[in-house]
Amino acid sequence: QARLEARVQHEQSAREEAEKTLSVARSALAEARRNESLHRGLGETVGQLEYLRNVLLRFLELPEAEAAPLLQVIAQCLHFSTEETERISTARSRRGSYSFSGLFPSRTSRPQAVPA
């Protein structure tokens, strides 16, 4: 009888320990799934930002007449309202063709040494 009770007690302890381990494992799995989802979302965001960067760069390089379709892409990516999109289009039309070169230094250019 005592051996049987000891065995039952041992089995109950083992079961409780297994349930604790299972609970910890489930929590770890849930955390891993959340992290995976977060990383996947960040990867998509990085890809979207790279795409927007390339579209914006091309938009700034092109003359106003050729850049109009890209403005629609930018407006959609950044969730511009129709009014905001029209404001940008109007501003570009008023300014005409302009260049951004000289405003931003080239990443590959090195500063020139100043003659003494």
Side-chain angles (χ1 to χ4, degrees):
Q1 180 73 20
R3 289 171 85 185
L4 185 56
E5 287 177 7
R7 174 103 173 141
V8 168
Q9 182 66 28
H10 175 72
E11 293 296 326
Q12 285 176 339
S13 294
R15 180 179 175 177
E16 289 172 3
E17 191 62 35
E19 287 174 351
K20 287 178 187 176
T21 301
L22 180 59
S23 177
V24 169
R26 284 182 176 155
S27 294
L29 179 60
E31 182 69 22
R33 286 180 176 159
R34 281 191 297 274
N35 287 338
E36 179 185 11
S37 177
L38 176 65
H39 288 294
R40 191 176 327 122
L42 288 175
E44 291 172 8
T45 300
V46 169
Q48 291 168 351
L49 286 175
E50 184 68 20
Y51 173 74
L52 180 58
R53 177 193 174 279
N54 292 331
V55 170
L56 186 58
L57 180 63
R58 190 72 180 133
F59 174 76
L60 295 173
E61 292 173 336
L62 289 174
E64 192 268 325
E66 295 175 40
L70 293 179
L71 177 56
Q72 296 306 314
V73 173
I74 294 167
Q76 184 174 2
C77 288
L78 297 177
H79 305 283
F80 287 166
S81 67
T82 303
E83 178 185 303
E84 291 167 327
T85 305
E86 289 172 359
R87 283 175 36 205
I88 294 168
S89 183
T90 301
R92 281 184 57 91
S93 295
R94 266 188 270 143
R95 291 184 195 141
S97 184
Y98 55 90
S99 170
F100 281 95
S101 63
L103 288 178
F104 305 106
S106 171
R107 290 183 184 180
T108 57
S109 67
R110 296 180 182 220
Q112 298 291 331
V114 178

